[in-house]
Amino acid sequence: MPEVPEVRFLTVAEVAEIMRVSKMTVYRLVHAGDLPAIRFGRSYRVPESAVADALNRPISDVG
C-alpha cells in the first residue's frame, strides 16, 4: 500500500485569520481558483501548504 503524505487542512475561518482577511475574501479566492480547496460536505478546507504559497506569491500591481 502506498504511503499517503500527511497534509494539514485549514478551515476558511483559520485561513482568514492567518491571511488577515475576511472569510468572504477567502471564499472569493477559492471560487476564483486562486486558492485551492477541497469541499467536505457544505464546508471548504484549504491545504496549509496552499496558504503558505499564496502568502509567498508576489503581489501584482493593480490599476
Side-chain angles (χ1 to χ4, degrees):
M1 181 174 210
E3 192 160 323
V4 178
E6 188 173 318
V7 178
R8 182 163 184 246
F9 289 96
L10 304 171
T11 64
V12 169
E14 290 171 328
V15 174
E17 186 176 327
I18 291 168
M19 295 180 82
R20 293 183 174 212
V21 296
S22 70
K23 290 191 294 184
M24 184 54 69
T25 299
V26 176
Y27 282 117
R28 285 188 191 118
L29 290 169
V30 168
H31 288 292
D34 295 330
L35 190 63
I38 297 173
R39 190 166 181 177
F40 288 108
R42 291 179 9 177
S43 63
Y44 287 93
R45 297 291 189 271
V46 179
E48 190 174 36
S49 59
V51 176
D53 290 345
L55 291 173
N56 289 325
R57 253 185 263 145
I59 299 171
S60 61
D61 204 24
V62 178

